[in-house]
Amino acid sequence: MTEVLAFAGILLTLAFTVINGFHDASNAVALPVRFNALTPRVALWMGAVFNLVGALLVGIVLTDMITFEIPVPLNDVGTVALICALLSAIGWDLLTWWWRMPSSSTAAIGGALVGSLLGARAVGLSGGDLSLGPYLSWNVVAPLVVAPIIAFVLAFLLVIPMVHLVKHQSPGRVGFRAGVVQATGAAAIHFGHGIQHARRTLWLLVLLLLMAGEGGSRDGIPVWLSLLVGLCLAFGTLLGGWRISYTLSSRVVSLDPLRGAIAQTVSGTLLFLGAFLSPIPLSSSQTSTAAILGAGSAQKFRTVYHSTLVRVLGTWLLTVPVCGVVSAVLFLAVSPLIPTPAG
């Protein structure tokens, strides 16, 4: 029974990875495509390549950055908890894509997993080895909360010196240079996204392989597994979630090419550095959106569309509780079918 559930969990993890690439593609390509720095096809292919390279880098040289300190029971309870969490996160990603709202898949899967594990504790299926402390620690919460604030502040502050730097240059020259920066920033966002989300996905896959008894190991990640994750991210990126692109490029705040370049630089830098420095994946959606909002807000006239901004912030605030509640309900619904673990 455990092996069958683990296999289903692996398939759901790969599906979640594809949807993650599809959902998050807009974070990097929205501005370069809006300002004609890249064509849509080139932007997506570039994103697919850099996501793949980032994922492979994790499997080849960055395996030590995959933390297994966040506990999940390696039994039927843990497998069902992961399946419920994955179903909830997939549903939320698809729903927010339909709403055209950028949202964090990292927060979605994290909140969903906490919810399903709370469901296990509520019905006495934790087996005595379930601790939620690591999920709620500052090391886990801080990257998701602090990164958007830093992105907003940096982008806002960078506008003033950059405007003074280019004020004597022609609009055409500024637009060309901004386009180059936007394309470079898109590559950095995709690369950081590939590294960070491959770490999360490989964590899930290794746990499920351990549950299935198929030789998964915390000490060594096979390259083929990283390649599989990278291909899923790349395939999802090629699908392109263009509904969210319009929100990021036009419906949250009005931008010119220079401010678009500043937003891409800030989000690309934070996601790239965060891939190597943060133990928990940063949210590319929240970081990119905050940088766009920061760059666009540093103007003398009103540029922020507050109705859209309220919807975006509401989506962010609802992600963890909604995914947690849905995942807990799913777990409670199937809990009568789960054998009680020993201990």
Side-chain angles (χ1 to χ4, degrees), residues 229-306:
V229 171
L231 289 174
C232 288
L233 278 174
F235 177 67
T237 301
L238 289 175
L239 296 178
W242 295 113
R243 293 176 67 87
I244 299 175
S245 292
Y246 180 64
T247 298
L248 292 175
S249 62
S250 303
R251 296 182 64 203
V252 176
V253 63
S254 295
L255 288 175
D256 55 31
L258 175 63
R259 287 171 173 79
I262 293 170
Q264 289 285 96
T265 300
V266 169
S267 55
T269 301
L270 289 177
L271 290 169
F272 180 80
L273 294 178
F276 296 95
L277 300 177
S278 173
I280 299 299
L282 304 182
S283 169
S284 58
S285 296
Q286 293 181 359
T287 304
S288 298
T289 305
I292 290 171
L293 184 62
S297 298
Q299 300 183 61
K300 294 181 180 179
F301 50 90
R302 178 182 172 181
T303 59
V304 178
Y305 301 106
H306 291 94

Side-chain angles (χ1 to χ4, degrees), residues 78-232:
T79 311
V80 174
L82 285 177
I83 289 175
C84 293
L86 287 164
L87 287 172
S88 302
I90 288 171
W92 185 251
D93 271 1
L94 292 175
L95 183 62
T96 52
W97 167 79
W98 182 254
W99 287 344
R100 303 176 187 267
M101 290 289 106
S103 66
S104 171
S105 57
T106 300
I109 191 66
L113 188 53
V114 170
S116 58
L117 292 176
L118 284 174
R121 175 174 284 184
V123 295
L125 288 175
S126 62
D129 59 353
L130 177 58
S131 173
L132 294 177
Y135 294 93
L136 306 176
S137 69
W138 181 243
N139 288 336
V140 173
V141 176
L144 292 175
V145 175
V146 174
I149 297 175
I150 294 176
F152 178 91
V153 173
L154 285 179
F156 186 91
L157 295 177
L158 276 175
V159 169
I160 296 175
M162 291 305 300
V163 168
H164 282 284
L165 185 65
V166 302
K167 64 180 180 179
H168 298 302
Q169 298 182 18
S170 66
R173 188 178 183 85
V174 172
F176 175 78
R177 291 183 172 180
V180 173
V181 173
Q182 288 171 22
T184 305
I189 293 171
H190 283 303
F191 187 57
H193 181 271
I195 293 175
Q196 298 194 62
H197 292 277
R199 286 162 50 194
R200 181 192 64 197
T201 303
L202 288 169
W203 175 75
L204 292 168
L205 290 174
V206 168
L207 287 180
L208 289 164
L209 288 171
L210 287 169
M211 294 169 183
E214 294 297 329
S217 172
R218 292 181 170 94
D219 300 323
I221 307 294
V223 175
W224 68 264
L225 197 60
S226 297
L227 176 61
L228 179 61
V229 171
L231 289 174
C232 288

Side-chain angles (χ1 to χ4, degrees), residues 1 5 76-77 79-81 83-84 87 116 123 125 327-339:
M1 181 65 176
L5 289 173
D76 287 340
V77 174
T79 311
V80 174
I83 289 175
C84 293
L87 287 172
S116 58
V123 295
L125 288 175
S327 185
V329 170
L330 287 175
F331 188 93
L332 293 174
V334 300
S335 60
L337 304 177
I338 305 174

